[in-house]
Amino acid sequence: MAMLSMAFGVNNATFPNLTRCRGMSNKARASLSVQITEGEGNLPKLVLTSPAGSEAEIYLFGGCITSWKVPSGSGKDLLFVRPDAVFNKKKPISGGVPHCFPQFGPGPIQQHGFARNMDWTVVDSENSEGNPVVTLELKDAPYSRAMWDFSFHALFKVTLNAKSLSTELTVKNTDKKAFSFSTALHTYFHASASNASVKGLKGCKTLNKDPDPKNPVEGKEERDVVTFPGFVDCVYLDASSELQLDNGLGDIISIKNTNWSDAVLWNPYLQMEACYKDFVCVENAKIGSVQLEPEQTWTAAQHLSIA
């Protein structure tokens, strides 16, 4: 068992499966299912490895999953981090699976809220049938209270299996007054945007933000297969609990969820000319406000898997 310092965003408990890998032999590192090390910009990150050889990386800044690889498939990272991403804590990490909380999109506070701009802390690390499971937490702090004056406790549990990556987000109201929020997992998938497609959205009510994001057009999705021919920014209300993404690179990714009631598709097209061809965003979201009374909790799960 290893004791990790608070400087690395780990609390003062000991976790038998979580070890700092600096100064360890390659053989010792290979035996671990969860390691903590320095990532880009010297920011602490967790590296999860399953017995089957799949791997995921999570930065404690933003609680952001930035990488998910499986031994089969195209061999490339299934997630995408934009080339303009910065790792200096001055901006959220642009890519992977950023948190949007307690606000999705624009609104009274900063775009997509503050959870992706704060340091999360590791509170648990375990093995489930040999597969790594880590839980991160985020609590209110002066930074969050300056824009959203509520006390809360969020837990983000990440489980890596041979061909799947599962997350569970739990938000608890630890304040003495009720609050409401919206939230999303703004997942960037590595893709050939011109060849990518999504199934499972037919029949959904849509809020299309193209051409005017401030005045979305209501509609209904009539297509069996939704593609990304150009700029795409569309909300799908009461979406299916399972979508299927063909990333155009030879991988079919199942996106299942529990209690994420809505979905969002996004590709910036020429607004990000340097990289729009290489990713699509398929996001699980809760667009309508979640109302929590004191001590109440809200939980939503996402399960990504590859055939």
Side-chain angles (χ1 to χ4, degrees):
M1 295 198 298
M3 181 77 76
L4 296 179
S5 69
M6 288 295 289
F8 269 75
V10 182
N11 72 7
N12 287 324
T14 58
F15 305 116
N17 305 306
L18 179 63
T19 307
R20 186 182 300 177
C21 65
R22 189 186 305 170
M24 295 172 57
S25 69
N26 289 335
K27 184 176 180 180
R29 292 181 188 183
S31 69
L32 301 171
S33 60
V34 182
Q35 306 166 18
I36 188 163
T37 186
E38 289 183 351
E40 297 287 337
N42 297 321
L43 297 181
K45 74 174 180 181
L46 303 176
V47 179
L48 283 61
T49 306
S50 79
S54 57
E55 187 174 284
E57 297 182 358
I58 311 169
Y59 277 80
L60 297 186
F61 179 67
C64 186
I65 303 170
T66 55
S67 177
W68 172 38
K69 297 177 181 177
V70 297
S72 58
S74 64
K76 295 184 178 180
D77 205 314
L78 294 165
L79 301 179
F80 183 80
V81 176
R82 287 169 21 195
D84 62 341
V86 294
F87 294 80
N88 58 10
K89 293 192 176 184
K90 294 181 180 179
K91 292 175 61 179
I93 297 171
S94 300
V97 188
H99 290 275
C100 303
F101 174 85
Q103 174 183 291
F104 175 75
I109 64 175
Q110 66 189 23
Q111 174 87 359
H112 291 324
F114 50 70
R116 61 185 188 152
N117 292 49
M118 296 179 69
D119 286 315
W120 294 58
T121 302
V122 181
V123 293
D124 196 18
S125 172
E126 59 184 314
N127 278 339
S128 175
E129 298 180 352
N131 293 300
V133 182
V134 294
T135 302
L136 310 184
E137 76 170 359
L138 182 69
K139 295 182 178 180
D140 55 284
Y143 174 76
S144 67
R145 281 188 166 272
M147 62 187 92
W148 196 68
D149 194 17
F150 297 101
S151 175
F152 70 92
H153 182 207
L155 292 173
F156 188 53
K157 183 178 182 180
V158 181
T159 304
L160 178 69
N161 286 291
K163 292 188 176 182
S164 67
L165 180 68
S166 301
T167 65
E168 181 181 88
L169 176 65
T170 300
V171 178
K172 182 177 182 179
N173 182 348
T174 55
D175 210 296
K176 295 181 179 179
K177 55 186 180 293
F179 62 65
S180 61
F181 64 91
S182 58
T183 182
L185 297 178
H186 198 310
T187 308
Y188 288 69
F189 290 98
H190 189 207
S192 168
S194 60
N195 296 309
S197 63
V198 177
K199 294 181 180 178
L201 293 167
K202 186 176 182 179
C204 289
K205 180 181 178 181
T206 58
L207 299 175
N208 196 338
K209 297 183 180 182
D210 180 24
D212 185 359
K214 295 182 179 179
N215 295 288
V217 178
E218 293 188 13
K220 182 179 179 181
E221 183 56 72
E222 303 289 354
R223 293 170 292 178
D224 290 311
V225 179
V226 180
T227 57
F228 298 82
F231 178 79
V232 174
D233 190 357
C234 191
V235 173
Y236 293 82
L237 300 176
D238 296 320
S240 168
S241 61
E242 181 175 6
L243 304 179
Q244 189 179 87
L245 168 66
D246 181 338
N247 66 11
L249 299 172
D251 303 305
I252 305 296
I253 301 170
S254 167
I255 306 170
K256 295 182 180 178
N257 85 85
T258 302
N259 213 32
W260 288 106
S261 57
D262 311 305
V264 181
L265 300 190
W266 181 66
N267 181 272
Y269 196 48
L270 296 179
Q271 293 178 8
M272 294 183 188
E273 194 165 4
C275 63
Y276 79 89
K277 296 178 181 179
D278 299 323
F279 77 92
V280 297
C281 285
V282 184
E283 311 166 32
N284 276 319
K286 190 74 174 179
I287 302 299
S289 291
V290 177
Q291 181 85 9
L292 287 184
E293 297 296 326
E295 299 303 311
Q296 284 188 335
T297 61
W298 174 88
T299 300
Q302 173 174 272
H303 182 73
L304 307 179
S305 62
I306 187 167

PDB file of all heavy atoms in Angstrom, residues 21-43:
ATOM      1  N   CYS A  21       4.028   6.234  -9.520  1.00  0.00           N
ATOM      2  CA  CYS A  21       4.929   5.392 -10.304  1.00  0.00           C
ATOM      3  C   CYS A  21       6.316   5.995 -10.482  1.00  0.00           C
ATOM      4  O   CYS A  21       7.178   5.380 -11.063  1.00  0.00           O
ATOM      5  CB  CYS A  21       4.321   5.077 -11.669  1.00  0.00           C
ATOM      6  SG  CYS A  21       4.114   6.495 -12.745  1.00  0.00           S
ATOM      7  N   ARG A  22       6.549   7.195  -9.975  1.00  0.00           N
ATOM      8  CA  ARG A  22       7.869   7.793 -10.114  1.00  0.00           C
ATOM      9  C   ARG A  22       8.886   6.960  -9.338  1.00  0.00           C
ATOM     10  O   ARG A  22       8.689   6.610  -8.184  1.00  0.00           O
ATOM     11  CB  ARG A  22       7.843   9.223  -9.574  1.00  0.00           C
ATOM     12  CG  ARG A  22       9.108  10.008  -9.869  1.00  0.00           C
ATOM     13  CD  ARG A  22       9.050  11.344  -9.187  1.00  0.00           C
ATOM     14  NE  ARG A  22       7.863  12.090  -9.540  1.00  0.00           N
ATOM     15  CZ  ARG A  22       7.502  13.204  -8.905  1.00  0.00           C
ATOM     16  NH1 ARG A  22       8.205  13.666  -7.897  1.00  0.00           N
ATOM     17  NH2 ARG A  22       6.413  13.839  -9.265  1.00  0.00           N
ATOM     18  N   GLY A  23       9.965   6.558  -9.990  1.00  0.00           N
ATOM     19  CA  GLY A  23      11.013   5.818  -9.326  1.00  0.00           C
ATOM     20  C   GLY A  23      10.770   4.326  -9.212  1.00  0.00           C
ATOM     21  O   GLY A  23      11.529   3.635  -8.544  1.00  0.00           O
ATOM     22  N   MET A  24       9.728   3.828  -9.885  1.00  0.00           N
ATOM     23  CA  MET A  24       9.428   2.399  -9.815  1.00  0.00           C
ATOM     24  C   MET A  24       9.978   1.688 -11.038  1.00  0.00           C
ATOM     25  O   MET A  24      10.129   2.278 -12.092  1.00  0.00           O
ATOM     26  CB  MET A  24       7.911   2.168  -9.752  1.00  0.00           C
ATOM     27  CG  MET A  24       7.257   2.697  -8.494  1.00  0.00           C
ATOM     28  SD  MET A  24       5.470   2.598  -8.620  1.00  0.00           S
ATOM     29  CE  MET A  24       5.282   0.844  -8.919  1.00  0.00           C
ATOM     30  N   SER A  25      10.253   0.413 -10.896  1.00  0.00           N
ATOM     31  CA  SER A  25      10.717  -0.372 -12.030  1.00  0.00           C
ATOM     32  C   SER A  25       9.554  -0.620 -12.990  1.00  0.00           C
ATOM     33  O   SER A  25       8.388  -0.574 -12.613  1.00  0.00           O
ATOM     34  CB  SER A  25      11.267  -1.708 -11.556  1.00  0.00           C
ATOM     35  OG  SER A  25      10.210  -2.533 -11.072  1.00  0.00           O
ATOM     36  N   ASN A  26       9.883  -0.922 -14.241  1.00  0.00           N
ATOM     37  CA  ASN A  26       8.846  -1.221 -15.222  1.00  0.00           C
ATOM     38  C   ASN A  26       8.037  -2.441 -14.814  1.00  0.00           C
ATOM     39  O   ASN A  26       6.824  -2.504 -15.022  1.00  0.00           O
ATOM     40  CB  ASN A  26       9.467  -1.448 -16.601  1.00  0.00           C
ATOM     41  CG  ASN A  26       9.997  -0.168 -17.197  1.00  0.00           C
ATOM     42  OD1 ASN A  26       9.531   0.912 -16.855  1.00  0.00           O
ATOM     43  ND2 ASN A  26      10.974  -0.290 -18.087  1.00  0.00           N
ATOM     44  N   LYS A  27       8.722  -3.429 -14.230  1.00  0.00           N
ATOM     45  CA  LYS A  27       8.015  -4.640 -13.808  1.00  0.00           C
ATOM     46  C   LYS A  27       7.014  -4.324 -12.711  1.00  0.00           C
ATOM     47  O   LYS A  27       5.871  -4.794 -12.721  1.00  0.00           O
ATOM     48  CB  LYS A  27       9.013  -5.680 -13.322  1.00  0.00           C
ATOM     49  CG  LYS A  27       8.366  -7.018 -12.939  1.00  0.00           C
ATOM     50  CD  LYS A  27       9.424  -8.042 -12.554  1.00  0.00           C
ATOM     51  CE  LYS A  27       8.776  -9.370 -12.185  1.00  0.00           C
ATOM     52  NZ  LYS A  27       9.794 -10.373 -11.801  1.00  0.00           N
ATOM     53  N   ALA A  28       7.419  -3.489 -11.746  1.00  0.00           N
ATOM     54  CA  ALA A  28       6.520  -3.123 -10.659  1.00  0.00           C
ATOM     55  C   ALA A  28       5.354  -2.315 -11.182  1.00  0.00           C
ATOM     56  O   ALA A  28       4.206  -2.511 -10.785  1.00  0.00           O
ATOM     57  CB  ALA A  28       7.287  -2.327  -9.599  1.00  0.00           C
ATOM     58  N   ARG A  29       5.613  -1.403 -12.104  1.00  0.00           N
ATOM     59  CA  ARG A  29       4.536  -0.598 -12.660  1.00  0.00           C
ATOM     60  C   ARG A  29       3.520  -1.468 -13.376  1.00  0.00           C
ATOM     61  O   ARG A  29       2.315  -1.235 -13.315  1.00  0.00           O
ATOM     62  CB  ARG A  29       5.106   0.429 -13.638  1.00  0.00           C
ATOM     63  CG  ARG A  29       5.952   1.495 -12.991  1.00  0.00           C
ATOM     64  CD  ARG A  29       6.463   2.477 -14.019  1.00  0.00           C
ATOM     65  NE  ARG A  29       7.418   3.397 -13.428  1.00  0.00           N
ATOM     66  CZ  ARG A  29       7.980   4.385 -14.095  1.00  0.00           C
ATOM     67  NH1 ARG A  29       7.694   4.581 -15.357  1.00  0.00           N
ATOM     68  NH2 ARG A  29       8.836   5.185 -13.486  1.00  0.00           N
ATOM     69  N   ALA A  30       4.006  -2.463 -14.080  1.00  0.00           N
ATOM     70  CA  ALA A  30       3.121  -3.294 -14.886  1.00  0.00           C
ATOM     71  C   ALA A  30       2.153  -4.098 -14.021  1.00  0.00           C
ATOM     72  O   ALA A  30       1.097  -4.519 -14.488  1.00  0.00           O
ATOM     73  CB  ALA A  30       3.939  -4.241 -15.758  1.00  0.00           C
ATOM     74  N   SER A  31       2.512  -4.305 -12.757  1.00  0.00           N
ATOM     75  CA  SER A  31       1.654  -5.101 -11.893  1.00  0.00           C
ATOM     76  C   SER A  31       0.519  -4.295 -11.295  1.00  0.00           C
ATOM     77  O   SER A  31      -0.359  -4.837 -10.642  1.00  0.00           O
ATOM     78  CB  SER A  31       2.494  -5.708 -10.764  1.00  0.00           C
ATOM     79  OG  SER A  31       2.933  -4.695  -9.878  1.00  0.00           O
ATOM     80  N   LEU A  32       0.538  -2.990 -11.479  1.00  0.00           N
ATOM     81  CA  LEU A  32      -0.445  -2.120 -10.855  1.00  0.00           C
ATOM     82  C   LEU A  32      -1.606  -1.846 -11.788  1.00  0.00           C
ATOM     83  O   LEU A  32      -1.430  -1.688 -12.991  1.00  0.00           O
ATOM     84  CB  LEU A  32       0.209  -0.797 -10.460  1.00  0.00           C
ATOM     85  CG  LEU A  32       1.381  -0.915  -9.480  1.00  0.00           C
ATOM     86  CD1 LEU A  32       2.073   0.417  -9.348  1.00  0.00           C
ATOM     87  CD2 LEU A  32       0.890  -1.419  -8.141  1.00  0.00           C
ATOM     88  N   SER A  33      -2.800  -1.758 -11.227  1.00  0.00           N
ATOM     89  CA  SER A  33      -3.965  -1.454 -12.050  1.00  0.00           C
ATOM     90  C   SER A  33      -4.258   0.034 -12.086  1.00  0.00           C
ATOM     91  O   SER A  33      -4.902   0.522 -13.006  1.00  0.00           O
ATOM     92  CB  SER A  33      -5.186  -2.214 -11.535  1.00  0.00           C
ATOM     93  OG  SER A  33      -5.458  -1.850 -10.193  1.00  0.00           O
ATOM     94  N   VAL A  34      -3.797   0.780 -11.076  1.00  0.00           N
ATOM     95  CA  VAL A  34      -3.972   2.230 -11.039  1.00  0.00           C
ATOM     96  C   VAL A  34      -2.662   2.867 -10.594  1.00  0.00           C
ATOM     97  O   VAL A  34      -2.108   2.500  -9.565  1.00  0.00           O
ATOM     98  CB  VAL A  34      -5.098   2.655 -10.075  1.00  0.00           C
ATOM     99  CG1 VAL A  34      -5.278   4.176 -10.123  1.00  0.00           C
ATOM    100  CG2 VAL A  34      -6.407   1.966 -10.408  1.00  0.00           C
ATOM    101  N   GLN A  35      -2.170   3.802 -11.372  1.00  0.00           N
ATOM    102  CA  GLN A  35      -0.965   4.539 -11.023  1.00  0.00           C
ATOM    103  C   GLN A  35      -1.285   6.022 -11.037  1.00  0.00           C
ATOM    104  O   GLN A  35      -2.188   6.459 -11.748  1.00  0.00           O
ATOM    105  CB  GLN A  35       0.150   4.283 -12.036  1.00  0.00           C
ATOM    106  CG  GLN A  35       0.493   2.834 -12.285  1.00  0.00           C
ATOM    107  CD  GLN A  35       1.352   2.674 -13.532  1.00  0.00           C
ATOM    108  OE1 GLN A  35       1.948   3.627 -14.007  1.00  0.00           O
ATOM    109  NE2 GLN A  35       1.400   1.476 -14.065  1.00  0.00           N
ATOM    110  N   ILE A  36      -0.535   6.793 -10.285  1.00  0.00           N
ATOM    111  CA  ILE A  36      -0.630   8.246 -10.382  1.00  0.00           C
ATOM    112  C   ILE A  36       0.732   8.766 -10.799  1.00  0.00           C
ATOM    113  O   ILE A  36       1.765   8.329 -10.288  1.00  0.00           O
ATOM    114  CB  ILE A  36      -1.113   8.893  -9.073  1.00  0.00           C
ATOM    115  CG1 ILE A  36      -1.388  10.377  -9.286  1.00  0.00           C
ATOM    116  CG2 ILE A  36      -0.152   8.654  -7.921  1.00  0.00           C
ATOM    117  CD1 ILE A  36      -2.229  11.015  -8.198  1.00  0.00           C
ATOM    118  N   THR A  37       0.744   9.653 -11.764  1.00  0.00           N
ATOM    119  CA  THR A  37       2.000  10.155 -12.306  1.00  0.00           C
ATOM    120  C   THR A  37       1.786  11.586 -12.771  1.00  0.00           C
ATOM    121  O   THR A  37       0.692  12.142 -12.662  1.00  0.00           O
ATOM    122  CB  THR A  37       2.480   9.263 -13.467  1.00  0.00           C
ATOM    123  OG1 THR A  37       3.770   9.689 -13.900  1.00  0.00           O
ATOM    124  CG2 THR A  37       1.512   9.310 -14.642  1.00  0.00           C
ATOM    125  N   GLU A  38       2.831  12.191 -13.294  1.00  0.00           N
ATOM    126  CA  GLU A  38       2.723  13.529 -13.842  1.00  0.00           C
ATOM    127  C   GLU A  38       2.381  13.450 -15.319  1.00  0.00           C
ATOM    128  O   GLU A  38       3.018  12.731 -16.080  1.00  0.00           O
ATOM    129  CB  GLU A  38       4.032  14.299 -13.642  1.00  0.00           C
ATOM    130  CG  GLU A  38       4.305  14.683 -12.199  1.00  0.00           C
ATOM    131  CD  GLU A  38       5.565  15.505 -12.041  1.00  0.00           C
ATOM    132  OE1 GLU A  38       6.311  15.635 -13.040  1.00  0.00           O
ATOM    133  OE2 GLU A  38       5.805  16.010 -10.936  1.00  0.00           O
ATOM    134  N   GLY A  39       1.363  14.213 -15.726  1.00  0.00           N
ATOM    135  CA  GLY A  39       0.969  14.259 -17.118  1.00  0.00           C
ATOM    136  C   GLY A  39       1.456  15.541 -17.776  1.00  0.00           C
ATOM    137  O   GLY A  39       2.448  16.142 -17.353  1.00  0.00           O
ATOM    138  N   GLU A  40       0.759  15.955 -18.800  1.00  0.00           N
ATOM    139  CA  GLU A  40       1.094  17.198 -19.492  1.00  0.00           C
ATOM    140  C   GLU A  40       1.062  18.359 -18.499  1.00  0.00           C
ATOM    141  O   GLU A  40       0.216  18.411 -17.602  1.00  0.00           O
ATOM    142  CB  GLU A  40       0.099  17.455 -20.627  1.00  0.00           C
ATOM    143  CG  GLU A  40       0.100  16.410 -21.721  1.00  0.00           C
ATOM    144  CD  GLU A  40       1.326  16.483 -22.602  1.00  0.00           C
ATOM    145  OE1 GLU A  40       1.949  17.562 -22.665  1.00  0.00           O
ATOM    146  OE2 GLU A  40       1.676  15.464 -23.222  1.00  0.00           O
ATOM    147  N   GLY A  41       1.996  19.283 -18.670  1.00  0.00           N
ATOM    148  CA  GLY A  41       2.048  20.438 -17.786  1.00  0.00           C
ATOM    149  C   GLY A  41       2.356  20.083 -16.345  1.00  0.00           C
ATOM    150  O   GLY A  41       2.081  20.870 -15.433  1.00  0.00           O
ATOM    151  N   ASN A  42       2.899  18.882 -16.126  1.00  0.00           N
ATOM    152  CA  ASN A  42       3.201  18.374 -14.786  1.00  0.00           C
ATOM    153  C   ASN A  42       1.960  18.233 -13.919  1.00  0.00           C
ATOM    154  O   ASN A  42       2.059  18.183 -12.683  1.00  0.00           O
ATOM    155  CB  ASN A  42       4.241  19.262 -14.078  1.00  0.00           C
ATOM    156  CG  ASN A  42       5.581  19.268 -14.790  1.00  0.00           C
ATOM    157  OD1 ASN A  42       6.026  18.242 -15.290  1.00  0.00           O
ATOM    158  ND2 ASN A  42       6.210  20.430 -14.849  1.00  0.00           N
ATOM    159  N   LEU A  43       0.802  18.149 -14.535  1.00  0.00           N
ATOM    160  CA  LEU A  43      -0.430  17.958 -13.772  1.00  0.00           C
ATOM    161  C   LEU A  43      -0.575  16.488 -13.395  1.00  0.00           C
ATOM    162  O   LEU A  43      -0.265  15.602 -14.195  1.00  0.00           O
ATOM    163  CB  LEU A  43      -1.645  18.392 -14.596  1.00  0.00           C
ATOM    164  CG  LEU A  43      -1.734  19.864 -14.990  1.00  0.00           C
ATOM    165  CD1 LEU A  43      -3.016  20.128 -15.771  1.00  0.00           C
ATOM    166  CD2 LEU A  43      -1.670  20.754 -13.755  1.00  0.00           C
TER     167      LEU A  43
END
